[in-house]
Amino acid sequence: MKHWITIGLVCLGTSIQDIAVAEPAPGSAAAALAVLAGSGRLEPNERVLGMVGFFGQPRPSRWLVLTDAAVEGGPLRELAVSGENVSAERKVAALPGQDLPDIPLERPDLKVDSDEVFRIVDGLARARGVRFESMHFQLRCRELAREPVWMLNLIGSGQVSVGVVYLSAITGEVLRTAWVDMPVTKFASPPSAEDPSR
């Protein structure tokens, strides 16, 4: 449970039938979902609520996937996917007051896999002159837009965060960045011609 508390719960609610992905890169997030889908470990009504991966260089060695039974207040499970195997699982209890995600992700919306995410964020870091040694991955649904969003935490020497990037899992668009000793940069639509104040 510590991993979920530390990095935050994420949302990837989808049915088991929607998880399979055509030819994902081995070890990527999409590959982990495909392994889980083919493992026989999920019940027909069980949904994937989120996934995290730690110390990606460029890929984490293991993905942690949180599931539920599509029942409000129902049991949660965390399954560890390593390579081609579901290597472990355990029951997880939500903490009081914990804000668990409940917005399902439409599987076709997950178009930007973790390998591409790493390449995009690595390019941003190089452009900023930020050096990092590994990356923590987190995927969740944006509440209002129902959009799957990656949150990437760049880890430098001494296991210290040197930057955070939010990126659309649909388009690959960079939504927000925050760098150590640098101001937060929000990426938004260009101002409307009808709004002279912007």
Side-chain angles (χ1 to χ4, degrees), residues 33 43 105 120 132 164:
L33 293 176
E43 299 297 327
L105 169 75
I120 292 169
F132 68 97
V164 176

Side-chain angles (χ1 to χ4, degrees), residues 12-198:
L12 179 62
T14 184
S15 67
I16 181 63
Q17 294 83 5
D18 294 333
I19 292 176
V21 178
E23 301 299 326
S28 71
L33 293 176
V35 166
L36 186 58
S39 69
R41 302 284 280 270
L42 298 182
E43 299 297 327
N45 64 337
E46 196 168 4
R47 302 180 304 172
V48 175
L49 292 178
M51 65 188 308
V52 292
F54 301 97
F55 302 108
Q57 299 173 326
R59 297 182 194 101
S61 60
R62 177 175 71 166
W63 291 96
L64 300 176
V65 182
L66 187 71
T67 69
D68 77 354
V71 176
E72 187 174 344
L76 301 174
R77 286 199 301 162
E78 181 185 76
L79 298 100
V81 180
S82 303
E84 296 296 316
N85 301 297
V86 178
S87 56
E89 70 173 87
R90 64 178 179 157
K91 291 184 179 178
V92 176
L95 299 176
Q98 199 168 20
D99 182 21
L100 297 178
D102 59 0
I103 301 171
L105 169 75
E106 298 298 328
R107 179 57 193 88
D109 290 344
L110 184 55
K111 295 177 180 175
V112 182
D113 200 358
S114 55
D115 282 14
E116 180 62 18
V117 163
F118 188 94
R119 284 190 289 271
I120 292 169
V121 176
D122 183 51
L124 289 173
R126 288 174 186 270
R128 289 273 186 163
V130 174
R131 295 184 180 183
F132 68 97
E133 295 181 356
S134 64
M135 188 181 298
H136 294 341
F137 295 80
Q138 179 180 173
L139 186 65
R140 64 166 296 142
C141 293
R142 206 155 111 179
E143 287 77 5
L144 297 178
R146 304 181 69 89
E147 177 184 17
V149 173
W150 285 104
M151 187 189 91
L152 301 315
N153 191 354
L154 285 67
I155 306 300
S157 61
Q159 305 302 307
V160 175
S161 176
V162 295
V164 176
V165 177
Y166 289 81
L167 188 143
S168 169
I170 297 176
T171 65
E173 176 188 1
V174 177
L175 305 172
R176 180 176 183 264
T177 64
W179 305 99
V180 172
D181 298 327
M182 295 182 188
V184 171
T185 304
K186 292 185 180 180
F187 295 81
S189 306
S192 168
E194 299 161 358
D195 183 1
S197 66
R198 295 182 63 187

